[in-house]
């Protein structure tokens, strides 16, 4: 038997978010399925991340789909815990979000980060605006950073 993600719903994600213990320090989430086939929306993602504990220090979020848009990234930006020391964000096969969402998320990263990993895997919607936002964050806010991993692949023909 296996988990059938086609049965996942916004309500289920909301229950997970609401059930995260306030004492949780490390959270790793990987979503490797088509959200629309599962009837999960950006609103459901927002309900999940709304439950992130304020004391969370490490977040590893891996999203492998083609449907996560700007609104979801903005929702995560709004609730980014302030004392994070490690953030790893991996977006595989997703070109639904743009500079708008990713820049909001990068700008929300706390000054306490010592490790940041961004994998943007072949998102043709992104431009220098994302790189500029990252550079400004590094210069103005990311002074505690000790490890940076930035991966931007291209699957587009030249």
């Amino acid at each position: 038997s296996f988990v059938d993600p086609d049965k996942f719903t916004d309500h289920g994600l909301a229950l997970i978010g609401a059930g995260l213990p306030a004492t949780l320090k490390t959270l790793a989430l990987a979503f490797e399925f088509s959200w629309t086939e599962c009837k999960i929306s950006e609103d459901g993602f927002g309900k999940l991340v709304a439950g992130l504990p304020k004391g969370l220090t490490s977040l590893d979020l891996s999203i492998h789909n083609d449907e996560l848009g700007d609104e979801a990234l903005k929702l995560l930006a709004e609730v980014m815990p302030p004392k994070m020391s490690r953030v790893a964000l991996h977006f595989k096969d997703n070109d639904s979000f743009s500079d708008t969402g990713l820049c909001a998320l990068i700008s929300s990263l706390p000054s306490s980060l010592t490790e940041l990993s961004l994998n943007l895997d072949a998102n043709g919607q992104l431009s220098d605006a994302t790189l500029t936002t990252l550079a400004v964050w590094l210069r103005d806010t990311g002074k505690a950073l000790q490890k940076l991993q930035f991966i931007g692949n291209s699957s587009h023909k030249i």
Side-chain angles (χ1 to χ4, degrees):
S1 175
F2 63 94
V3 174
D4 183 358
D6 292 346
K7 309 264 192 239
F8 291 177
T9 65
D10 286 349
H11 177 72
L13 286 183
L15 291 174
I16 292 171
L20 293 174
T23 56
L24 191 68
K25 298 293 182 198
T26 301
L27 179 61
L29 296 171
F31 297 103
E32 307 227 356
F33 49 80
S34 171
W35 286 39
T36 53
E37 290 175 14
C38 301
K39 299 172 186 62
I40 292 175
S41 68
E42 291 178 338
D43 183 55
F45 179 78
K47 291 175 181 173
L48 170 69
V49 299
L52 292 178
K54 297 293 182 220
L56 194 69
T57 58
S58 179
L59 176 63
D60 190 335
L61 182 59
S62 178
I63 298 177
H64 181 160
N65 71 58
D66 58 356
E67 296 138 2
L68 184 70
D70 286 331
E71 193 57 35
L73 298 184
K74 290 177 187 177
L75 291 168
L76 178 57
E78 290 173 7
V79 299
M80 183 65 69
K83 297 180 182 177
M84 301 286 283
S85 61
R86 181 183 177 281
V87 171
L89 303 170
H90 303 274
F91 303 102
K92 183 158 178 57
D93 297 329
N94 187 338
D95 63 0
S96 294
F97 65 87
S98 69
D99 291 317
T100 302
L102 190 57
C103 289
L105 185 54
I106 290 170
S107 296
S108 76
L109 295 172
S111 61
S112 55
L113 277 187
T114 58
E115 185 176 335
L116 174 61
S117 176
L118 291 172
N119 183 342
L120 305 176
D121 188 53
N123 184 328
Q125 301 244 23
L126 301 178
S127 71
D128 278 350
T130 291
L131 297 178
T132 300
T133 300
L134 178 60
V136 168
W137 182 86
L138 288 167
R139 182 192 69 214
D140 297 345
T141 308
K143 294 181 176 25
L145 204 62
Q146 297 173 14
K147 181 178 180 182
L148 173 64
Q149 181 180 24
F150 183 84
I151 302 167
N153 299 326
S154 175
S155 64
H156 304 285
K157 292 183 180 179
I158 297 177

